[in-house]
Amino acid sequence: MMAATVVLLLVLLLAIRTPVGFAMGISGVVGLYWFGGERVVMGILSTMPRDSAAVYEFLTIPMFLLMAEFVLRSGVADDLFRAASAWFGRLRGGLGIATAVAGAGFGAICGSSTASAATLSSTSLKAMLTYGYEPRMAAGAVAISGTLSMLIPPSIAMVVYGLLADVGVAKLLIAGVIPGLMVTLTIALTIYLLAWQDPQRAPLADKHSLSEKVALLKNVGPMLVLLFAVTGVIYTGLATPTEASAMGALCSAVIYFLRARRSLGETYDLIARAVRSSCMIAMILLGAHIFSTFFALTQTTNAMVQWVTALDLAPWVFIAVLVLIYIILGCFLDQMAIMVLTVPVVVPLVETMGFDLIWFGVIMIVTAELGMVTPPLGLNAFVVSKYSNVSLADVFLGTLPHVLAHIVLIVLLAAFPIITLWLPNQM
């Protein structure tokens, strides 16, 4: 009764648009007061904010956010798309495939999905529409390619999941590499098949000589530097994720200042945005910890584990139900909110079923990608529509083939965990 009432309070707070961190914190405090009175509340509130902020791995988040801000302002994304379009432009659907490649490259140096979608909208979407691409197809390719930043390291979503589920952030980030490449290939194949089905959807781009293509590869240099500065040093064990994130922020800052003259005001604005985003995520994590502490003290989590165990579900049925729930939730809630709301409850259940939490984290993130492009609240679709003249309905329709292809890929990743776990197991 107590847990159900507190969950209802949480739902009501979210319904009146209370920020998710504050909603979980308030409902958790109410539950703790109900359970143990003022002493329990003050005991937890006097230590938990400090303990949540003092986690060493949390420093990864502001560093990755700062890295993303430097990369966004440096113009690296434009160079990536130009190089990719030169190499793939003469293929059927080539500019769309170049968008997927650029999205993967940009995802490897920027952990923000919406930032990636906005950047690709101003570069690749404009180019595709100029060459006569079907607006619906072009917008769908951009929206789905932006989601790659959620999976390919450095991924803010991966770090948040690692902190909530208490799993190694290093292996979690590396686990996203092969699935990220598979998602990129899935997007590219979907675009190719759509263009093959109706060539009018995707006219061929200009032809480039081999020498021009090779010359454009130098534009990929900054991305490779940042890729090694983060993912490379984590995989080789030269640095922890926190140290690697600081190295990535430093390298991106150097690239940012070398590429153009920068004003003090612009640099201050860039750093301030990263700080604000970091504070927002810190509050979300604090609220999640308070709420999960209430669940732990009231034995709600243990009761749910026992209930699920008593159902005697086959493990694959349990995972299939979870994936379906996440797809449905993605249609109505922000992905960070879904993760914070569900991970503290779901992870013990997944662990009880004998599944690897790193593998499950990747499944959750890939599923969350769908929520970024599905109606009615697909954030990437809103971003793409805002930055173009394509209607929101057309953006959602353009992403539909990609959503179906993603579901097939999720089934593949769920059926064969070795795909996800092979690379981190080699560390």
Side-chain angles (χ1 to χ4, degrees):
M1 176 63 182
M2 185 190 301
T5 304
V6 171
V7 170
L8 180 60
L9 173 61
L10 173 62
V11 172
L12 290 175
L13 289 172
L14 292 173
I16 61 174
R17 307 183 71 84
T18 306
V20 64
F22 290 99
M24 296 193 76
I26 292 169
S27 55
V29 166
V30 170
L32 290 170
Y33 185 83
W34 189 354
F35 173 77
E38 184 179 348
R39 286 187 62 188
V40 171
V41 173
M42 295 309 298
I44 290 173
L45 292 185
S46 63
T47 58
M48 189 162 286
R50 182 195 64 225
D51 293 342
S52 297
V55 176
Y56 183 61
E57 287 79 6
F58 177 76
L59 291 172
T60 307
I61 293 175
M63 290 297 100
F64 279 162
L65 287 169
L66 187 59
M67 178 180 169
E69 291 292 343
F70 279 128
V71 167
L72 282 172
R73 295 291 188 93
S74 66
V76 170
D78 296 355
D79 294 341
L80 283 176
F81 178 72
R82 279 195 292 269
S85 60
W87 282 90
F88 297 102
R90 295 299 292 177
L91 294 175
R92 184 63 63 188
L95 289 182
I97 295 172
T99 299
V101 174
F106 194 62
I109 53 180
C110 173
S112 170
S113 177
T114 51
S116 182
T119 304
L120 291 173
S121 295
S122 62
T123 54
S124 58
L125 180 57
K126 183 178 179 181
M128 283 189 282
L129 294 178
T130 300
Y131 277 96
Y133 270 59
E134 180 186 63
R136 179 182 298 177
M137 176 181 172
V142 170
I144 195 68
S145 297
T147 64
L148 287 164
S149 293
M150 293 183 65
L151 184 60
I152 297 176
S155 165
I156 303 298
M158 286 285 201
V159 176
V160 171
Y161 172 83
L163 293 175
L164 290 171
D166 195 24
V167 297
V169 173
K171 286 196 171 185
L172 193 57
L173 288 170
I174 297 301
V177 173
I178 292 179
L181 294 175
M182 292 180 67
V183 171
T184 305
L185 181 61
T186 300
I187 295 171
L189 285 175
T190 304
I191 292 169
Y192 179 83
L193 290 174
L194 290 172
W196 174 78
Q197 184 186 39
D198 183 1
Q200 298 301 315
R201 288 173 172 161
L204 299 178
D206 295 335
K207 189 174 183 179
H208 292 266
S209 66
L210 181 60
S211 60
E212 289 175 322
K213 293 179 181 178
V214 173
L216 284 170
L217 287 179
K218 72 178 187 298
N219 295 334
V220 184
M223 186 202 77
L224 295 178
V225 170
L226 293 174
L227 186 63
F228 178 76
V230 179
T231 309
V233 297
I234 292 175
Y235 181 76
T236 55
L238 294 175
T240 66
T242 306
E243 294 163 346
S245 65
M247 180 65 71
L250 175 63
C251 291
S252 62
V254 171
I255 293 170
Y256 168 78
F257 285 109
L258 286 179
R259 289 172 72 91
R261 292 175 63 91
R262 307 295 181 181
S263 67
L264 184 62
E266 181 186 80
T267 306
Y268 173 82
D269 180 59
L270 178 153
I271 295 173
R273 275 208 311 276
V275 171
R276 285 194 295 269
S277 298
S278 300
C279 292
M280 177 194 70
I281 294 176
M283 186 60 220
I284 289 174
L285 290 172
L286 174 59
H289 286 149
I290 293 172
F291 193 82
S292 60
T293 299
F294 162 72
F295 260 39
L297 289 176
T298 56
Q299 300 294 308
T300 304
T301 303
N302 290 340
M304 293 181 67
V305 169
Q306 293 171 7
W307 177 70
V308 170
T309 304
L311 291 176
D312 199 25
L313 292 174
W316 68 269
V317 174
F318 174 72
I319 290 296
V321 170
L322 274 184
V323 168
L324 180 61
I325 290 172
Y326 277 119
I327 291 175
I328 294 171
L329 287 176
C331 295
F332 302 98
L333 291 174
D334 172 76
Q335 273 54 53
M336 190 66 72
I338 293 172
M339 192 178 301
V340 173
L341 289 168
T342 62
V343 166
V345 178
V346 169
V347 160
L349 303 177
V350 172
E351 204 166 17
T352 300
M353 286 288 185
F355 292 109
D356 188 284
L357 294 184
I358 291 177
W359 165 82
F360 177 71
V362 172
I363 295 293
M364 176 184 281
I365 298 297
V366 176
T367 306
E369 290 179 355
L370 297 184
M372 301 295 291
V373 295
T374 50
L377 297 177
L379 190 55
N380 275 19
F382 280 90
V383 170
V384 172
S385 180
K386 176 184 175 182
Y387 280 84
S388 67
N389 293 321
V390 181
S391 69
L392 185 60
D394 276 341
V395 178
F396 280 130
L397 287 172
T399 61
L400 180 58
H402 297 285
V403 170
L404 298 176
H406 263 60
I407 292 174
V408 174
L409 180 59
I410 291 170
V411 172
L412 182 64
L413 293 174
F416 301 100
I418 189 62
I419 296 173
T420 300
L421 298 176
W422 180 80
L423 194 58
N425 286 342
Q426 307 307 309
M427 294 174 65

